[in-house]
Coordinates of all heavy atoms in Angstrom, one line a residue:
M1 N -4.2 0.0 -6.9 CA -4.8 -1.1 -7.5 C -5.6 -0.6 -8.7 O -5.9 0.7 -8.8 CB -5.8 -1.8 -6.6 CG -4.9 -2.7 -5.6 SD -5.9 -3.7 -4.5 CE -6.6 -2.4 -3.3
H2 N -6.0 -1.4 -9.6 CA -6.9 -1.1 -10.7 C -8.1 -1.8 -10.7 O -8.8 -1.9 -9.7 CB -6.1 -1.3 -12.0 CG -4.9 -0.3 -12.3 ND1 -3.7 -0.8 -12.7 CD2 -4.9 1.0 -12.0 CE1 -3.0 0.4 -12.7 NE2 -3.6 1.4 -12.4
Q3 N -8.5 -2.2 -11.8 CA -10.0 -2.8 -11.9 C -10.1 -4.2 -11.3 O -11.3 -4.7 -11.0 CB -10.3 -2.8 -13.5 CG -10.4 -1.5 -14.0 CD -10.7 -1.6 -15.5 OE1 -11.2 -2.5 -16.1 NE2 -10.3 -0.4 -16.2
M4 N -9.0 -5.0 -11.0 CA -9.2 -6.3 -10.4 C -9.0 -6.2 -8.8 O -9.2 -7.2 -8.3 CB -8.2 -7.3 -11.0 CG -8.6 -7.6 -12.5 SD -7.4 -8.6 -13.0 CE -8.0 -8.7 -14.8
G5 N -8.7 -5.1 -8.3 CA -8.4 -4.9 -6.9 C -9.7 -5.0 -6.1 O -10.7 -4.5 -6.5
T6 N -9.6 -5.7 -4.9 CA -10.8 -5.8 -4.2 C -10.6 -5.4 -2.7 O -11.6 -5.2 -2.0 CB -11.2 -7.3 -4.1 OG1 -10.2 -8.1 -3.6 CG2 -11.6 -7.8 -5.5
G7 N -9.3 -5.3 -2.3 CA -9.2 -4.9 -0.9 C -7.7 -4.8 -0.4 O -6.9 -5.3 -1.2
L8 N -7.4 -4.1 0.6 CA -6.0 -4.0 1.0 C -6.0 -4.0 2.6 O -7.0 -3.6 3.3 CB -5.3 -2.9 0.5 CG -5.8 -1.4 0.9 CD1 -4.9 -0.9 1.9 CD2 -5.8 -0.6 -0.4
T9 N -4.9 -4.3 3.2 CA -4.6 -4.2 4.6 C -3.1 -3.8 4.8 O -2.3 -4.1 3.9 CB -4.6 -5.7 5.1 OG1 -6.0 -6.3 5.0 CG2 -4.4 -5.7 6.7
T10 N -2.9 -3.0 5.7 CA -1.5 -2.5 6.1 C -1.1 -3.0 7.5 O -2.0 -2.8 8.4 CB -1.5 -1.0 5.9 OG1 -1.7 -0.6 4.5 CG2 0.0 -0.6 6.4
V11 N 0.0 -3.6 7.6 CA 0.5 -4.0 9.0 C 1.6 -3.2 9.3 O 2.6 -3.1 8.5 CB 0.9 -5.5 9.0 CG1 1.5 -5.9 10.3 CG2 -0.5 -6.4 8.6
I12 N 1.6 -2.6 10.6 CA 2.8 -2.0 11.0 C 3.5 -2.9 11.9 O 3.1 -3.5 12.9 CB 2.4 -0.7 12.0 CG1 1.4 0.2 11.3 CG2 3.6 0.0 12.5 CD1 0.8 1.3 12.1
M13 N 4.8 -3.1 11.4 CA 5.7 -4.0 12.2 C 6.6 -3.1 13.0 O 7.4 -2.4 12.5 CB 6.5 -4.8 11.2 CG 5.6 -5.9 10.5 SD 6.5 -6.6 9.2 CE 6.6 -5.5 7.9
R14 N 6.4 -2.9 14.4 CA 7.1 -2.2 15.3 C 8.5 -2.6 15.3 O 8.7 -3.9 15.4 CB 6.3 -2.2 16.6 CG 4.9 -1.6 16.4 CD 4.8 -0.2 16.2 NE 3.4 0.4 16.3 CZ 3.1 1.5 15.8 NH1 4.0 2.3 15.4 NH2 1.8 1.9 15.9
K15 N 9.4 -1.8 15.7 CA 10.7 -2.1 16.0 C 10.9 -3.1 17.1 O 11.8 -4.0 17.0 CB 11.5 -0.9 16.3 CG 13.0 -1.1 16.5 CD 13.7 0.3 16.7 CE 15.2 0.2 16.8 NZ 15.8 1.4 17.2
D16 N 10.0 -3.2 18.0 CA 10.1 -4.0 19.2 C 9.5 -5.4 18.9 O 9.4 -6.4 19.8 CB 9.4 -3.4 20.4 CG 7.8 -3.3 20.2 OD1 7.3 -3.6 19.3 OD2 7.3 -2.7 21.2
G17 N 9.0 -5.6 17.5 CA 8.5 -7.0 17.2 C 7.0 -7.0 17.3 O 6.4 -8.0 16.8
T18 N 6.3 -6.1 17.9 CA 4.8 -6.1 17.8 C 4.3 -5.7 16.6 O 4.9 -5.0 15.7 CB 4.2 -5.2 19.0 OG1 4.7 -4.0 18.8 CG2 4.7 -5.8 20.4
T19 N 3.0 -5.9 16.3 CA 2.3 -5.5 15.0 C 1.0 -4.8 15.4 O 0.4 -5.1 16.4 CB 2.1 -6.8 14.0 OG1 1.2 -7.6 14.8 CG2 3.4 -7.5 13.7
E20 N 0.7 -4.0 14.5 CA -0.7 -3.4 14.5 C -1.2 -3.4 13.1 O -0.6 -3.1 12.0 CB -0.5 -1.9 14.9 CG -1.8 -1.1 15.0 CD -1.5 0.4 15.4 OE1 -0.4 0.7 15.9 OE2 -2.4 1.2 15.2
T21 N -2.4 -3.9 12.9 CA -3.1 -4.0 11.6 C -4.1 -2.8 11.3 O -4.8 -2.5 12.1 CB -3.9 -5.4 11.5 OG1 -2.9 -6.4 11.8 CG2 -4.5 -5.4 10.1
L22 N -3.9 -2.3 10.1 CA -4.8 -1.2 9.7 C -5.7 -1.7 8.6 O -5.2 -2.2 7.6 CB -4.0 0.0 9.3 CG -3.0 0.7 10.3 CD1 -2.2 1.7 9.7 CD2 -3.7 1.1 11.5
G23 N -7.0 -1.7 8.8 CA -7.9 -2.3 7.7 C -8.3 -3.7 8.3 O -8.3 -3.9 9.4
P24 N -8.9 -4.4 7.4 CA -8.9 -4.4 6.1 C -9.9 -3.5 5.5 O -10.9 -3.3 6.1 CB -9.2 -5.9 5.5 CG -10.1 -6.5 6.7 CD -9.5 -5.8 7.9
W25 N -9.7 -2.9 4.2 CA -10.6 -2.1 3.6 C -10.9 -2.7 2.2 O -10.1 -3.1 1.5 CB -9.9 -0.7 3.5 CG -9.6 0.0 4.7 CD1 -10.5 0.5 5.6 CD2 -8.4 0.2 5.1 NE1 -9.8 1.0 6.7 CE2 -8.4 0.8 6.5 CE3 -7.1 -0.1 4.8 CZ2 -7.4 1.2 7.2 CZ3 -5.9 0.3 5.5 CH2 -6.1 1.0 6.7
A26 N -12.2 -2.5 1.9 CA -12.7 -2.9 0.5 C -12.2 -1.8 -0.5 O -12.0 -0.7 -0.1 CB -14.2 -2.9 0.4
F27 N -11.9 -2.3 -1.7 CA -11.3 -1.4 -2.8 C -12.3 -1.5 -4.0 O -12.8 -2.5 -4.3 CB -9.9 -1.7 -3.3 CG -9.4 -0.8 -4.3 CD1 -8.9 0.4 -4.1 CD2 -9.5 -1.3 -5.7 CE1 -8.5 1.2 -5.1 CE2 -9.1 -0.4 -6.6 CZ -8.6 0.7 -6.4
D28 N -12.6 -0.3 -4.5 CA -13.5 -0.1 -5.8 C -12.8 0.8 -6.6 O -12.8 2.0 -6.3 CB -14.8 0.2 -5.4 CG -15.8 0.3 -6.7 OD1 -15.3 0.2 -7.8 OD2 -17.1 0.4 -6.4
F29 N -12.3 0.3 -7.8 CA -11.7 1.4 -8.6 C -12.5 2.5 -9.1 O -12.0 3.6 -9.3 CB -11.2 0.6 -10.0 CG -10.5 1.3 -11.1 CD1 -9.2 1.6 -10.9 CD2 -11.2 1.8 -12.2 CE1 -8.6 2.4 -11.8 CE2 -10.5 2.6 -13.1 CZ -9.2 2.8 -12.9
N30 N -13.9 2.4 -9.2 CA -14.7 3.5 -9.5 C -15.0 4.4 -8.3 O -15.8 5.4 -8.5 CB -16.0 2.9 -10.1 CG -15.6 2.3 -11.5 OD1 -15.0 2.8 -12.3 ND2 -16.0 1.0 -11.6
S31 N -14.6 4.0 -7.1 CA -15.0 4.8 -6.0 C -13.7 4.7 -4.9 O -13.9 4.1 -3.9 CB -16.2 4.3 -5.3 OG -16.5 5.1 -4.1
Q32 N -12.6 5.4 -5.3 CA -11.5 5.3 -4.5 C -11.6 6.4 -3.5 O -11.8 7.6 -3.7 CB -10.3 5.6 -5.5 CG -10.1 4.4 -6.4 CD -8.9 4.7 -7.4 OE1 -7.8 5.1 -6.9 NE2 -9.0 4.3 -8.6
V33 N -11.4 6.0 -2.2 CA -11.5 6.9 -1.0 C -10.3 6.8 -0.1 O -9.5 5.8 -0.3 CB -12.7 6.4 -0.2 CG1 -14.0 6.5 -1.0 CG2 -12.6 5.0 0.4
S34 N -10.2 7.7 0.8 CA -9.1 7.7 1.9 C -9.7 7.3 3.2 O -10.8 7.5 3.4 CB -8.4 9.1 2.0 OG -7.8 9.5 0.7
W35 N -8.9 6.6 4.0 CA -9.4 6.3 5.3 C -8.6 7.0 6.3 O -7.3 7.0 6.3 CB -9.2 4.7 5.5 CG -10.0 4.0 4.7 CD1 -11.4 3.7 5.0 CD2 -9.9 3.3 3.4 NE1 -11.9 2.9 3.8 CE2 -10.9 2.7 2.9 CE3 -8.5 3.1 2.7 CZ2 -10.9 2.0 1.8 CZ3 -8.6 2.5 1.5 CH2 -9.8 1.8 1.1
Q36 N -9.1 7.5 7.4 CA -8.5 8.1 8.5 C -7.9 7.0 9.4 O -8.6 6.1 9.8 CB -9.5 8.9 9.4 CG -10.0 10.1 8.6 CD -8.9 11.2 8.3 OE1 -8.1 11.3 9.3 NE2 -9.1 11.8 7.2
T37 N -6.6 7.0 9.6 CA -6.0 5.9 10.4 C -5.0 6.6 11.3 O -3.7 6.4 11.1 CB -5.2 4.8 9.4 OG1 -4.4 5.6 8.6 CG2 -6.3 4.0 8.6
P38 N -5.5 7.4 12.2 CA -4.4 8.1 13.1 C -3.7 7.1 13.9 O -4.2 6.4 14.6 CB -5.3 9.0 13.9 CG -6.6 8.4 13.9 CD -6.8 7.7 12.6
T39 N -2.3 7.1 13.6 CA -1.4 6.2 14.4 C -0.1 6.9 14.3 O 0.1 7.8 13.5 CB -1.4 4.9 13.8 OG1 -0.6 4.0 14.8 CG2 -0.8 4.8 12.4
I40 N 0.9 6.5 15.1 CA 2.2 7.1 15.3 C 3.2 5.9 14.7 O 3.2 4.7 15.1 CB 2.6 7.6 16.6 CG1 1.7 8.7 17.0 CG2 4.1 7.9 16.6 CD1 1.8 9.0 18.5
I41 N 4.0 6.4 13.7 CA 5.0 5.5 13.1 C 6.3 6.0 13.8 O 6.7 7.1 13.6 CB 5.1 5.6 11.6 CG1 3.6 5.2 10.9 CG2 6.1 4.6 11.0 CD1 3.2 3.9 11.3
H42 N 7.0 5.1 14.4 CA 8.2 5.4 15.0 C 9.5 4.9 14.2 O 9.4 4.1 13.3 CB 8.4 4.7 16.4 CG 7.2 5.0 17.3 ND1 7.1 6.2 18.0 CD2 6.0 4.3 17.5 CE1 6.1 6.2 18.7 NE2 5.3 5.0 18.5
P43 N 10.6 5.7 14.5 CA 11.9 5.2 13.6 C 12.1 3.8 13.8 O 11.9 3.3 15.0 CB 12.9 6.1 14.3 CG 12.1 7.3 14.8 CD 10.9 6.8 15.2
G44 N 12.3 2.9 12.8 CA 12.5 1.5 12.9 C 11.4 0.8 12.7 O 11.4 -0.5 12.4
D45 N 10.0 1.3 12.6 CA 8.8 0.7 12.4 C 8.8 0.4 10.7 O 9.4 1.3 9.9 CB 7.6 1.4 12.7 CG 7.4 1.6 14.3 OD1 8.2 0.8 14.9 OD2 6.6 2.3 14.6
R46 N 8.1 -0.6 10.4 CA 8.0 -0.9 8.9 C 6.5 -1.0 8.6 O 5.7 -1.7 9.4 CB 8.7 -2.1 8.6 CG 10.2 -2.0 8.7 CD 11.0 -3.3 8.5 NE 10.5 -3.8 7.1 CZ 11.4 -4.1 6.2 NH1 12.6 -4.2 6.5 NH2 11.0 -4.6 5.1
L47 N 6.1 -0.6 7.3 CA 4.7 -0.7 7.0 C 4.7 -1.7 5.8 O 5.4 -1.7 4.8 CB 4.2 0.7 6.4 CG 4.3 1.8 7.3 CD1 3.6 3.0 6.6 CD2 3.4 1.4 8.6
T48 N 3.9 -2.7 5.9 CA 3.7 -3.7 4.8 C 2.1 -3.6 4.4 O 1.3 -3.9 5.1 CB 4.1 -5.1 5.2 OG1 5.5 -5.1 5.6 CG2 4.0 -6.1 4.0
T49 N 2.0 -3.3 3.1 CA 0.6 -3.2 2.5 C 0.4 -4.5 1.6 O 1.2 -4.9 0.9 CB 0.4 -2.0 1.8 OG1 0.4 -1.0 2.7 CG2 -1.0 -2.1 1.2
T50 N -0.7 -5.3 1.9 CA -1.1 -6.4 1.1 C -2.4 -6.1 0.4 O -3.3 -5.7 1.0 CB -1.3 -7.6 2.0 OG1 -0.1 -7.9 2.7 CG2 -1.5 -8.9 1.1
C51 N -2.3 -6.3 -0.9 CA -3.5 -6.0 -1.7 C -4.2 -7.4 -2.2 O -3.4 -8.3 -2.5 CB -3.2 -5.2 -3.0 SG -2.6 -3.6 -2.7
Q52 N -5.4 -7.3 -2.3 CA -6.2 -8.6 -2.8 C -6.9 -8.3 -4.3 O -7.2 -7.1 -4.5 CB -7.3 -9.0 -1.9 CG -6.8 -9.4 -0.6 CD -6.5 -8.4 0.4 OE1 -7.2 -7.4 0.5 NE2 -5.5 -8.6 1.2
Y53 N -6.8 -9.3 -5.1 CA -7.3 -9.1 -6.4 C -8.2 -10.3 -6.8 O -8.2 -11.4 -6.1 CB -6.2 -9.2 -7.4 CG -5.1 -8.2 -7.1 CD1 -4.1 -8.4 -6.3 CD2 -5.2 -6.9 -7.7 CE1 -3.1 -7.4 -6.1 CE2 -4.3 -5.8 -7.4 CZ -3.2 -6.2 -6.6 OH -2.2 -5.2 -6.4
N54 N -9.2 -10.0 -7.7 CA -10.0 -11.0 -8.3 C -9.8 -11.1 -9.8 O -10.4 -10.2 -10.5 CB -11.5 -10.8 -7.9 CG -12.3 -12.0 -8.4 OD1 -11.8 -13.0 -8.8 ND2 -13.6 -11.7 -8.5
N55 N -9.0 -11.9 -10.3 CA -8.8 -11.9 -11.9 C -9.8 -12.8 -12.5 O -9.7 -14.1 -12.4 CB -7.3 -12.6 -12.0 CG -6.9 -12.5 -13.6 OD1 -7.7 -12.1 -14.4 ND2 -5.8 -13.0 -13.8
T56 N -10.7 -12.2 -13.1 CA -11.8 -12.7 -13.8 C -11.5 -12.8 -15.4 O -12.2 -13.2 -16.2 CB -13.2 -12.1 -13.7 OG1 -13.1 -10.8 -14.0 CG2 -13.6 -12.3 -12.2
A57 N -10.3 -12.2 -15.8 CA -9.8 -12.2 -17.1 C -9.3 -13.6 -17.6 O -8.9 -14.3 -16.8 CB -8.8 -11.0 -17.4
D58 N -9.4 -13.7 -18.9 CA -8.9 -14.9 -19.5 C -7.4 -14.7 -20.0 O -7.1 -15.0 -21.0 CB -9.8 -15.5 -20.6 CG -9.4 -16.8 -21.1 OD1 -8.7 -17.6 -20.4 OD2 -9.6 -17.1 -22.2
R59 N -6.7 -14.1 -19.0 CA -5.2 -13.8 -19.4 C -4.4 -13.6 -18.1 O -5.0 -13.4 -17.0 CB -5.2 -12.6 -20.2 CG -5.6 -11.3 -19.5 CD -5.6 -10.0 -20.4 NE -6.3 -9.0 -19.7 CZ -5.7 -8.1 -18.9 NH1 -4.4 -8.3 -18.5 NH2 -6.4 -7.1 -18.3
T60 N -3.1 -13.7 -18.3 CA -2.2 -13.4 -17.2 C -2.1 -11.8 -16.9 O -2.0 -11.1 -18.1 CB -0.8 -13.9 -17.5 OG1 -0.9 -15.4 -17.6 CG2 0.1 -13.6 -16.2
V61 N -2.2 -11.4 -15.8 CA -2.2 -10.0 -15.6 C -0.8 -9.6 -15.0 O -0.4 -10.3 -14.0 CB -3.4 -9.5 -14.6 CG1 -3.3 -8.0 -14.2 CG2 -4.6 -9.8 -15.2
T62 N -0.2 -8.6 -15.5 CA 1.2 -8.2 -15.0 C 1.1 -6.9 -14.2 O 0.1 -6.2 -14.2 CB 2.1 -8.0 -16.2 OG1 1.6 -7.0 -17.0 CG2 2.3 -9.3 -17.0
V63 N 2.2 -6.6 -13.6 CA 2.4 -5.4 -12.8 C 2.7 -4.3 -13.8 O 3.5 -4.4 -14.7 CB 3.5 -5.5 -11.8 CG1 3.8 -4.1 -11.1 CG2 3.2 -6.7 -10.8
G64 N 2.0 -3.1 -13.7 CA 2.2 -1.9 -14.5 C 1.4 -0.9 -14.1 O 0.5 -1.0 -13.3
L65 N 1.6 0.3 -14.7 CA 0.8 1.5 -14.5 C -0.4 1.7 -15.3 O -1.3 2.5 -14.8 CB 1.8 2.8 -14.7 CG 3.0 2.8 -13.9 CD1 3.9 4.0 -14.3 CD2 2.7 2.8 -12.4
D66 N -0.7 1.0 -16.3 CA -1.9 1.3 -17.1 C -3.0 0.4 -16.4 O -2.7 -0.5 -15.6 CB -1.6 0.7 -18.5 CG -1.3 -0.8 -18.7 OD1 -0.1 -1.1 -18.4 OD2 -2.2 -1.6 -18.8
T67 N -4.2 0.7 -16.8 CA -5.4 0.1 -16.1 C -5.7 -1.4 -16.5 O -6.4 -2.1 -15.9 CB -6.6 0.9 -16.3 OG1 -7.0 1.0 -17.6 CG2 -6.6 2.2 -15.6
Q68 N -4.9 -1.9 -17.6 CA -5.0 -3.2 -17.9 C -4.1 -4.1 -17.1 O -4.2 -5.4 -17.1 CB -4.8 -3.6 -19.4 CG -5.8 -2.8 -20.2 CD -7.2 -3.1 -20.0 OE1 -7.5 -4.4 -19.9 NE2 -8.0 -2.3 -19.8
S69 N -3.1 -3.6 -16.4 CA -2.3 -4.1 -15.5 C -2.7 -4.0 -14.1 O -3.7 -3.2 -13.7 CB -0.8 -3.5 -15.6 OG -0.3 -3.7 -17.0
E70 N -1.9 -4.5 -13.0 CA -2.2 -4.2 -11.7 C -1.1 -3.6 -10.9 O 0.1 -3.6 -11.4 CB -2.7 -5.4 -11.0 CG -4.3 -5.7 -11.3 CD -5.1 -4.6 -10.9 OE1 -4.9 -3.9 -10.0 OE2 -6.2 -4.6 -11.4
M71 N -1.3 -3.0 -9.9 CA -0.3 -2.5 -8.9 C -0.9 -2.5 -7.5 O -2.0 -2.8 -7.3 CB 0.0 -1.1 -9.3 CG -1.2 0.0 -9.2 SD -0.8 1.6 -9.3 CE -0.3 1.7 -11.1
C72 N 0.1 -2.3 -6.4 CA -0.3 -2.2 -5.1 C 0.4 -1.1 -4.4 O 1.6 -1.3 -4.1 CB 0.0 -3.6 -4.4 SG -0.5 -3.6 -2.7
F73 N -0.2 0.1 -4.4 CA 0.4 1.3 -3.8 C -0.5 1.8 -2.5 O -1.7 1.5 -2.6 CB 0.5 2.5 -4.8 CG 1.5 2.5 -5.8 CD1 1.1 2.6 -7.1 CD2 2.8 2.1 -5.4 CE1 2.2 2.7 -8.2 CE2 3.8 2.0 -6.4 CZ 3.4 2.4 -7.8
N74 N 0.2 2.1 -1.6 CA -0.5 2.7 -0.4 C 0.1 4.0 -0.1 O 1.3 4.2 0.1 CB -0.2 1.8 0.8 CG -1.0 2.2 2.1 OD1 -1.7 3.2 2.0 ND2 -0.8 1.5 3.1
F75 N -0.7 5.1 -0.3 CA -0.2 6.5 -0.2 C -0.4 6.8 1.3 O -1.4 6.7 1.9 CB -0.9 7.4 -1.0 CG -0.6 7.1 -2.5 CD1 -1.4 6.3 -3.2 CD2 0.5 7.6 -3.1 CE1 -1.2 5.9 -4.5 CE2 0.8 7.3 -4.3 CZ 0.0 6.5 -5.1
V76 N 0.6 7.5 1.9 CA 0.6 7.8 3.4 C 0.9 9.3 3.5 O 1.7 9.9 2.8 CB 1.6 7.1 4.1 CG1 1.8 7.5 5.6 CG2 1.5 5.6 4.0
T77 N 0.0 10.0 4.3 CA 0.2 11.3 4.7 C 0.9 11.4 6.2 O 0.5 10.8 7.0 CB -1.0 12.2 4.7 OG1 -1.7 12.0 3.6 CG2 -0.8 13.6 5.2
A78 N 2.2 12.2 6.3 CA 2.7 12.1 7.4 C 2.9 13.5 8.0 O 2.9 14.4 7.3 CB 4.3 11.5 7.1
Y79 N 2.9 13.7 9.3 CA 3.2 14.9 10.0 C 4.2 14.7 11.0 O 4.2 13.7 11.7 CB 1.8 15.4 10.7 CG 2.0 16.7 11.5 CD1 2.0 17.8 10.7 CD2 2.4 16.7 12.8 CE1 2.1 19.1 11.5 CE2 2.6 17.9 13.4 CZ 2.4 19.0 12.7 OH 2.6 20.2 13.5
P80 N 5.1 15.6 11.2 CA 5.2 16.8 10.6 C 5.9 16.7 9.1 O 6.2 15.6 8.7 CB 6.3 17.6 11.4 CG 7.1 16.5 12.0 CD 6.2 15.4 12.2
A81 N 5.8 17.8 8.4 CA 6.2 17.9 7.0 C 7.6 17.2 6.9 O 8.5 17.4 7.7 CB 6.2 19.3 6.5
K82 N 7.9 16.4 5.9 CA 9.1 15.7 5.6 C 9.4 14.6 6.6 O 10.6 14.2 6.7 CB 10.2 16.8 5.5 CG 10.1 17.7 4.3 CD 11.2 18.5 4.1 CE 10.9 19.6 3.0 NZ 12.0 20.5 2.8
A83 N 8.4 14.2 7.5 CA 8.9 13.1 8.5 C 9.0 11.8 7.8 O 9.7 11.0 8.4 CB 7.6 13.1 9.5
L84 N 8.2 11.5 6.9 CA 8.4 10.2 6.2 C 9.1 10.4 4.8 O 8.6 11.1 3.9 CB 7.0 9.7 5.9 CG 6.8 8.3 5.4 CD1 7.3 7.3 6.6 CD2 5.3 8.0 5.1
V85 N 10.1 9.6 4.6 CA 10.9 9.7 3.5 C 10.8 8.4 2.6 O 11.1 7.4 3.2 CB 12.5 10.0 3.8 CG1 13.3 10.0 2.5 CG2 12.5 11.4 4.6
S86 N 10.4 8.6 1.3 CA 10.5 7.4 0.5 C 11.9 7.1 0.0 O 12.4 8.0 -0.6 CB 9.3 7.5 -0.5 OG 9.4 6.4 -1.4
K87 N 12.2 5.8 0.0 CA 13.5 5.4 -0.6 C 13.4 4.7 -1.9 O 14.4 4.5 -2.5 CB 14.3 4.5 0.4 CG 14.7 5.1 1.7 CD 15.7 4.4 2.4 CE 16.3 5.1 3.6 NZ 17.2 4.3 4.3
N88 N 12.2 4.3 -2.3 CA 11.9 3.7 -3.5 C 10.5 3.8 -3.9 O 9.6 3.1 -3.7 CB 12.3 2.1 -3.3 CG 12.1 1.4 -4.6 OD1 11.8 2.0 -5.7 ND2 12.4 0.2 -4.6
L89 N 10.2 5.0 -4.5 CA 8.8 5.3 -4.9 C 8.0 4.3 -5.7 O 6.8 4.1 -5.5 CB 8.7 6.8 -5.5 CG 7.4 7.3 -5.9 CD1 6.6 7.4 -4.5 CD2 7.5 8.7 -6.6
F90 N 8.7 3.7 -6.7 CA 8.1 2.8 -7.5 C 8.3 1.3 -7.2 O 8.2 0.5 -8.1 CB 8.5 3.0 -9.0 CG 7.9 4.4 -9.4 CD1 8.8 5.5 -9.6 CD2 6.6 4.6 -9.6 CE1 8.3 6.8 -9.9 CE2 6.2 5.9 -10.1 CZ 6.9 7.0 -10.2
G91 N 8.7 1.0 -5.9 CA 8.9 -0.3 -5.5 C 7.6 -0.9 -5.2 O 6.5 -0.4 -5.4
G92 N 7.6 -2.1 -4.7 CA 6.4 -3.0 -4.4 C 6.7 -4.1 -3.7 O 7.8 -4.5 -3.6
S93 N 5.6 -4.8 -3.4 CA 5.8 -6.1 -2.7 C 5.5 -7.2 -3.6 O 5.3 -8.3 -3.1 CB 5.0 -6.1 -1.4 OG 3.5 -6.0 -1.8
T94 N 5.3 -7.0 -4.8 CA 5.0 -8.1 -5.8 C 6.2 -8.9 -6.2 O 7.3 -8.3 -6.0 CB 4.1 -7.7 -7.1 OG1 5.1 -6.9 -7.8 CG2 3.0 -6.9 -6.7
S95 N 6.0 -10.0 -6.7 CA 7.2 -10.7 -7.0 C 7.9 -10.3 -8.2 O 9.1 -10.5 -8.6 CB 6.8 -12.3 -7.4 OG 6.0 -12.3 -8.5
L96 N 7.4 -9.2 -9.0 CA 7.9 -8.6 -10.2 C 8.8 -7.4 -9.9 O 9.4 -6.8 -10.9 CB 6.9 -8.4 -11.2 CG 6.1 -9.7 -11.7 CD1 5.2 -9.3 -12.9 CD2 7.2 -10.7 -12.4
T97 N 8.6 -6.8 -8.7 CA 9.3 -5.6 -8.4 C 10.1 -5.7 -7.1 O 9.7 -6.7 -6.3 CB 8.4 -4.5 -8.2 OG1 7.3 -4.7 -7.2 CG2 7.5 -4.2 -9.6
S98 N 10.9 -4.8 -6.8 CA 11.6 -4.8 -5.5 C 10.7 -4.2 -4.3 O 9.7 -3.7 -4.5 CB 13.0 -4.0 -5.7 OG 12.6 -2.7 -5.9
S99 N 11.2 -4.5 -3.2 CA 10.5 -4.0 -2.0 C 10.7 -2.5 -1.7 O 11.8 -2.1 -1.8 CB 11.0 -4.8 -0.8 OG 10.4 -4.4 0.5
A100 N 9.5 -1.8 -1.5 CA 9.6 -0.5 -1.2 C 10.0 -0.2 0.3 O 9.5 -1.0 1.1 CB 8.2 0.3 -1.5
T101 N 10.6 0.7 0.5 CA 11.0 1.1 1.8 C 10.9 2.7 2.2 O 11.1 3.5 1.4 CB 12.6 1.0 2.1 OG1 12.8 -0.5 1.7 CG2 13.0 1.1 3.5
A102 N 10.3 2.9 3.2 CA 10.1 4.2 3.8 C 10.6 4.3 5.1 O 10.6 3.4 5.9 CB 8.6 4.7 3.7
C103 N 11.2 5.5 5.6 CA 11.7 5.5 6.9 C 11.5 7.0 7.4 O 11.2 7.8 6.8 CB 13.2 5.2 7.0 SG 14.2 6.4 6.0
L104 N 11.6 7.0 8.8 CA 11.3 8.2 9.5 C 12.9 8.8 9.7 O 13.8 8.1 10.1 CB 10.8 8.1 10.8 CG 9.2 7.7 10.7 CD1 8.6 7.5 12.1 CD2 8.5 8.9 10.0
Q105 N 13.0 10.1 9.6 CA 14.3 10.6 9.8 C 14.3 11.4 11.2 O 13.3 11.8 11.8 CB 14.7 11.7 8.8 CG 14.9 11.0 7.5 CD 15.4 12.0 6.4 OE1 15.2 13.2 6.6 NE2 16.3 11.6 5.5

């Protein structure tokens, strides 16, 4: 997220249909931090991250990489090395981009 981001939540949708929620976490562009979320992601599980924003600008805000635009990325560290493979690094869950997919091999 950028300057309008206020928080995010990630939901693990398990292959068996159950869910596990990580977060919610507050977001501050000027103080970006990492959260310890030790959990196991199994083959067939899906991660969905939802970002919240507060648009106080007098303009429409679009999706983009510059700080005048917004984005919703969730970076994940996986173990063992190469366990998590990204199939669409620049995807997203907004209406302006395609859905990102990651899977375990």
Side-chain angles (χ1 to χ4, degrees):
M1 291 181 278
H2 288 134
Q3 297 176 20
M4 294 182 186
T6 60
L8 67 102
T9 303
T10 296
V11 175
I12 304 169
M13 293 171 283
R14 303 287 183 190
K15 185 177 180 179
D16 67 5
T18 61
T19 62
E20 179 182 342
T21 300
L22 305 175
W25 298 289
F27 178 81
D28 180 351
F29 181 75
N30 296 308
S31 179
Q32 298 181 35
V33 298
S34 297
W35 293 280
Q36 295 290 323
T37 55
T39 190
I40 297 173
I41 306 300
H42 302 281
D45 291 351
R46 296 175 54 127
L47 304 177
T48 300
T49 297
T50 303
C51 298
Q52 292 82 40
Y53 304 90
N54 183 19
N55 183 357
T56 58
D58 189 22
R59 64 184 173 82
T60 299
V61 178
T62 59
V63 174
L65 299 177
D66 63 277
T67 56
Q68 298 304 308
S69 301
E70 281 298 338
M71 60 173 62
C72 183
F73 284 133
N74 185 3
F75 296 95
V76 176
T77 302
Y79 177 87
K82 299 182 182 178
L84 191 63
V85 177
S86 177
K87 290 188 173 183
N88 184 356
L89 181 61
F90 294 105
S93 59
T94 68
S95 60
L96 299 179
T97 60
S98 62
S99 177
T101 305
C103 65
L104 294 173
Q105 290 185 334

